[in-house]
Amino acid sequence: MNTNSRNGPFIINLKNYLETSGDNTIKIVKDAERVSEKLNVEIIISPPQPSLALIAKQSKLKVISQHIDLKKIGATTGFYIPEIIEKVGAKGSLINHSEHEIEIDEIKRSIEKLKEMKLISIVCIKTFEGLKEILAFEPDYIAIEPPELIGTQKSISSEKPFLIRECSSVINKRNLKSKLICGAGINKKDDVKIAIENGSAGVLVSSSITKAKNWYDKILELASAFNQ
Ligand code: G3P
């Protein structure tokens, strides 16, 4: 299921940053909600897993899991299974983030499972070669994120715009349902603008927001690039 909206998706991955955990998670989510309404940009939140249910209940924004485990319902312990994330209100999940990689077969089965449940599938890849491995599975979104740029002030847009363009043209040529998004080091409005100009439908951002002095201002700055 794709998120049909005029602009976006602008995905904020809160990872396990303490700055935006616990009672602070709903505060940054409310800031993101205000920006989403003000600019009509689709903002999706990926909170720390323990906060998933609470945020899904308390926010109008779509909430997604940072990972899913394909374990059976019932007597399994300590896993995040798709049936439970759906039950608590999540609308989908990241898959294979470079900080939580899984095998290609599990990627394929995770996409199939999320599709079957009409949940959004966002598969993260690190390289152009990684794209070719997963194209045939047609997730809703493919997120290209060079790991060496993650958490830095050097963005995929400024360092590797050609990578965004290459991935986008392969997906467009194959006329796939998947849409390209990108992330890694995105920290200013121009990074989002360049990503969109090179064929990205949206962005995935973490540290430049979670570590910002003012969450609202930073989210507004980055999201405003969608309204150019
Ligand atoms: O999931 C997106 C994330 O990996 C990007 O991280 O801190 O470079 O925005 P960051």
Side-chain angles (χ1 to χ4, degrees):
M1 174 184 80
N2 277 339
T3 56
N4 294 316
S5 67
R6 192 163 67 83
N7 294 301
F10 175 10
I11 302 173
I12 303 175
N13 178 4
L14 300 179
K15 299 192 177 181
N16 285 308
Y17 284 109
L18 288 182
E19 296 88 334
T20 48
S21 66
D23 294 341
N24 282 345
T25 304
I26 194 61
K27 291 179 189 160
I28 191 171
V29 169
K30 288 300 171 189
D31 283 345
E33 256 180 35
R34 283 170 49 212
V35 171
S36 178
E37 278 153 22
K38 181 181 173 73
L39 300 181
N40 187 26
V41 171
E42 171 94 29
I43 297 180
I44 297 175
I45 303 287
S46 195
Q49 301 290 70
S51 305
L52 200 57
L54 179 75
I55 299 306
K57 285 239 168 337
Q58 295 188 346
S59 176
K60 289 176 244 159
L61 299 179
K62 284 190 177 81
V63 176
I64 58 172
S65 184
Q66 294 180 11
H67 169 77
I68 51 167
D69 296 292
L70 297 179
K71 299 291 182 183
K72 68 178 172 62
I73 297 169
T76 45
T77 301
F79 296 105
Y80 275 80
I81 65 171
E83 292 81 1
I84 298 273
I85 70 153
E86 185 199 36
K87 204 170 172 72
V88 300
K91 298 297 179 211
S93 183
L94 299 177
I95 299 168
N96 190 51
H97 191 282
S98 61
E99 293 156 357
H100 194 145
E101 291 186 89
I102 57 178
E103 296 300 324
I104 189 74
D105 174 59
E106 193 181 348
I107 293 173
K108 179 174 185 292
R109 289 185 297 115
S110 298
I111 295 167
E112 287 165 351
K113 183 69 180 173
L114 289 175
K115 279 187 177 177
E116 179 194 305
M117 296 178 68
K118 298 197 175 6
L119 295 174
I120 303 166
S121 51
I122 302 163
V123 176
C124 300
I125 55 168
K126 301 189 289 187
T127 61
F128 182 70
E129 291 63 37
L131 172 70
K132 288 183 270 187
E133 276 188 312
I134 59 133
L135 276 177
F137 309 153
E138 278 199 288
D140 292 307
Y141 294 97
I142 298 170
I144 177 77
E145 287 204 314
E148 71 279 9
L149 299 176
I150 290 177
T152 72
Q153 290 291 303
K154 288 183 171 177
S155 72
I156 183 173
S157 307
S158 55
E159 305 303 310
K160 298 187 167 190
F162 54 88
L163 178 58
I164 305 171
R165 208 164 39 249
E166 262 183 324
C167 291
S168 169
S169 63
V170 164
I171 293 174
N172 293 337
K173 257 191 219 116
R174 299 271 294 265
N175 199 17
L176 297 170
K177 293 193 194 73
S178 303
K179 287 186 183 176
L180 181 76
I181 58 179
C182 68
I186 290 180
N187 62 84
K188 55 186 176 303
K189 178 175 177 178
D190 232 19
D191 291 334
V192 182
K193 192 164 166 291
I194 292 167
I196 295 167
E197 284 166 357
N198 282 280
S200 196
V203 291
L204 206 48
V205 184
S206 187
S207 55
S208 66
I209 293 174
T210 56
K211 293 179 175 297
K213 285 193 182 57
N214 184 308
W215 294 326
Y216 176 82
D217 289 350
K218 180 50 81 174
I219 298 168
L220 186 69
E221 174 201 345
L222 298 180
S224 63
F226 284 98
N227 283 355
Q228 293 299 301

